[in-house]
Amino acid sequence: MNNIKLSGITKVYDPGKPYEVVALQGVDAEFECGHSYAVMGASGSGKSTLLNILGGLDRPTKGTYSWGSLRMDTMTPKLLTRVRANNIGFILQDYGLIDYISVLENCLAPCIFAGKKRSLAKREAVNVLEMLGIIGLANREVKKLSGGQKQRTAIARAIINRPNLILADEPTGALDSKNADMILQVLLSLVNERSIVILATHDAAAAQRCNHILRIKDGKII
Ligand SMILES: Nc1ncnc2c1ncn2[C@@H]1O[C@H](COP(=O)(O)OP(=O)(O)OP(=O)(O)O)[C@@H](O)[C@H]1O
Ligand SMILES: [Mg+2]
């Protein structure tokens, strides 16, 4: 099983500078396949930093990150890019979509990047857009969407390659309760024996629906 193990993960931004920030301090955690996790904590406690490290967008200053037999913290940038493209779906706090292309083209990007044929990618995009209730928006430019529609597009793009690690930073932040509910249902339905879903959230009701809640305070798991 490709479980995740973090040992002594520390992240210092701008180390040695007078304005350095210790965002994570010796985080030990394990994430098991087939489970969902909510990371909760006050603003600035280190949730996004933790997700960024898990997603390979950033590296820890100290500590080890293993995922199955992979050592994510010491992996070459080239391999890390490949692991990210094929195995990790990341829903960023600010969506990270390309504004001037359509919903469909945004969803196709990770498939093309992972080397899939456009025709196959398109079939898969149509599937996820249907699942998220935004197939009707497929050809609309992202800049013309509402916040909630962008959020769903970001989710569609993150899950299109069927990643086995799904990271979602405040996935229900911009949504009303009905849509938040739908999104959570979709995200949690992606948990299977080979996958792990981890969300960072302020929303206690959303966190309760995950199998586990990790609380983080000043960069430490409490
Ligand atoms: N790129 C960066 N450079 C320097 N400091 C940073 C950077 N990103 C985050 N920080 C700092 O690290 C600490 C943790 O930030 P982080 O974004 O992980 O918090 P968070 O728990 O996600 O907060 P929020 O709930 O507001 O999203 C904060 O003090 C923040 O100011
Ligand atoms: Mg954050």
Side-chain angles (χ1 to χ4, degrees):
M1 277 310 200
N2 288 331
N3 293 341
I4 286 175
K5 190 166 196 278
L6 303 179
S7 305
I9 293 288
T10 294
K11 177 67 190 180
V12 183
Y13 290 110
D14 305 302
K17 303 261 169 63
Y19 47 87
E20 77 167 24
V21 175
V22 182
L24 295 174
Q25 308 188 51
V27 169
D28 297 319
E30 289 195 43
F31 301 92
E32 279 181 42
C33 288
H35 291 241
S36 57
Y37 297 81
V39 180
M40 293 197 81
S43 180
S45 58
K47 302 181 297 297
S48 295
T49 302
L50 182 64
L51 259 65
N52 289 344
I53 288 174
L54 284 165
L57 296 181
D58 209 348
R59 290 190 195 250
T61 312
K62 243 174 44 195
T64 60
Y65 168 10
S66 19
W67 185 12
S69 59
L70 299 174
R71 268 292 296 275
M72 298 286 287
D73 55 306
T74 52
M75 193 176 275
T76 62
K78 198 172 161 191
L79 184 55
L80 190 59
T81 302
R82 202 159 78 216
V83 170
R84 277 175 36 205
N86 292 306
N87 305 96
I88 301 179
F90 207 138
I91 301 144
L92 294 165
Q93 198 162 9
D94 58 4
Y95 319 127
L97 297 164
I98 306 168
D99 251 6
Y100 53 85
I101 62 173
S102 71
V103 166
L104 182 69
E105 292 298 332
N106 266 276
C107 289
L108 291 179
C111 287
I112 306 295
F113 195 61
K116 273 190 196 154
K117 275 211 176 107
R118 198 179 157 85
S119 55
L120 174 65
K122 212 164 163 181
R123 272 208 302 280
E124 290 179 351
V126 167
N127 279 341
V128 287
L129 292 175
E130 266 169 359
M131 185 161 99
L132 287 157
I134 49 171
I135 187 68
L137 300 173
N139 295 316
R140 194 178 296 178
E141 267 182 329
V142 162
K143 65 172 184 245
K144 295 180 183 163
L145 299 176
S146 73
Q149 291 167 339
K150 283 185 189 168
Q151 196 139 27
R152 281 190 265 173
T153 305
I155 293 172
R157 187 188 54 176
I159 67 178
I160 188 162
N161 281 337
R162 312 280 158 182
N164 31 40
L165 175 59
I166 295 146
L167 301 162
D169 202 347
E170 298 288 350
T172 57
L175 303 176
D176 59 77
S177 63
K178 188 167 151 254
N179 276 303
D181 209 61
M182 191 269 263
I183 290 305
L184 273 175
Q185 218 167 318
V186 171
L187 285 174
L188 296 177
S189 75
L190 300 169
V191 177
N192 62 43
E193 69 277 9
R194 289 173 51 238
S195 69
I196 302 170
V197 172
I198 306 173
L199 3 145
T201 184
H202 285 116
D203 180 351
Q208 289 299 339
R209 291 175 55 180
C210 296
N211 302 127
H212 309 271
I213 300 180
L214 273 76
R215 291 181 202 277
I216 185 167
K217 189 174 179 223
D218 301 330
K220 292 186 185 141
I221 304 279
I222 49 171

